[in-house]
Amino acid sequence: MKKPNPILTVLSAASIGFLIGVSFPLRIAPTVVFPFSLGDGNCIVSGRNILARFSTPFGNSTSTAEGTPVLQQSNATSDSEKTAPLEKTKPKGAERLPPNIVVRESDLHMRRLWGHPREDTPPRKYLLVLTVGYSDRDNVNAMVHKFSDNFDVMLFHYDGRTTEWDEFEWSKQAIHVSARKQAKWWYAKRFMHPSIVAPYEYVFLWDHDLGVETFDAEEYIKIVKKHGLEISQPGLDIVRGVKSFDINVRRNDTEIHTSTSAGKCSTIDVHQRPCSGFVEVMAPVLTREAWSCVWHMIQNDLVHGWGLDWNFWRCVDEPEQQIGVVDAQYVAHHEGFTLGNKDNDTVDGSRRKVRLRSSAEFGMLKARLYNADRAQAAALLAKSNAAPPS
């Protein structure tokens, strides 16, 4: 008896298997994973993806926005439920991209134009931001030297002069942003988005006119970590500088303080601002989480930032515990209000007119927050009333 041709037998079996396979919607091929990949770290094709793409035309397939098949399970319910977890991982604008290529955050650390990226120095742990003019260079230079190599440095230049700062070696590694005659909070809103400063544990957003002879940034950070301060500032030495509020004055008998009964606070409730849970917009130090909240509170058209410090409490859970003044590391505020031309009060841009706008912005922010609070309360009440009784 003639033996059957083994090739024909294999082909017949494969054909029968193929016909049976296409008769069922269940796809098992994509669940197989082969331990190989093609390409470099930015272009990886796994065995799972290859099988999934070949099996897509057969049965009921579902694809995401970027065309990557979604594996169907026998107990799946709907297409929207299958794709929802994947889509939630993508920020707006990245819907067409595969999730593993999306980068949500960046930093302000400069990198080389040569060599392998893995060999670049990593972003620093902390960020120092100063708004400066070239005439401030000596004091700014002294300030920067109080911050260690753990800090990236960014300067906002209000006078348009940037390259002159290269007389300082540290300036060559700093980020320089130039826009003439703008205020600190105008820059902060536009160049310090939370996704950009996210790598930094703490952000120091300081004025340029602080005396730092007795200050050490690393020691400061140790103290705020020890006490769990989300928003803080160094105490103010009023022998060498000026003050605006009693709560910010340095004490000699404590490491930090979060409230005061001195001055006007002796006659009002100590739990009210600015008697507790309060630091100024002059020299705040914020965790990245607190900064994300504060950044969203900054108004695009209110450039001076007046009134933000009265509302920092909104960005922490326990203001009287998480907002405080560090007495053990203190500075002197030398000049106070310095914006504007001080020679002629009648011209546009004079110090008097700048201060008038600052005060007006304070009132505008207060009114906007009041209206926002009322609207939120009304919305919550309406939602509560609309909920079915439990």
Side-chain angles (χ1 to χ4, degrees), residues 56-111:
T56 300
F58 308 110
N60 298 323
S61 66
T62 304
S63 297
T64 64
E66 73 275 6
T68 303
V70 175
L71 303 186
Q72 288 190 324
Q73 305 295 331
S74 58
N75 61 346
T77 54
S78 68
D79 290 347
S80 61
E81 289 179 352
K82 296 168 204 165
T83 59
L86 184 61
E87 295 304 321
K88 286 181 180 178
T89 66
K90 300 181 190 177
K92 184 178 180 181
E95 295 85 357
R96 297 178 183 273
L97 298 174
N100 289 348
I101 201 63
V102 174
V103 180
R104 297 168 176 268
E105 299 172 350
S106 187
D107 56 68
L108 292 163
H109 187 66
M110 294 201 295
R111 298 179 180 272

Side-chain angles (χ1 to χ4, degrees), residues 108 154 156 177-179 186-193 196-197 295:
L108 292 163
M154 179 162 63
F156 296 142
V177 177
S178 178
W186 181 93
Y187 295 106
K189 184 65 173 180
R190 286 150 183 85
F191 301 104
M192 293 180 64
H193 188 274
I196 299 299
V197 302
W295 184 89

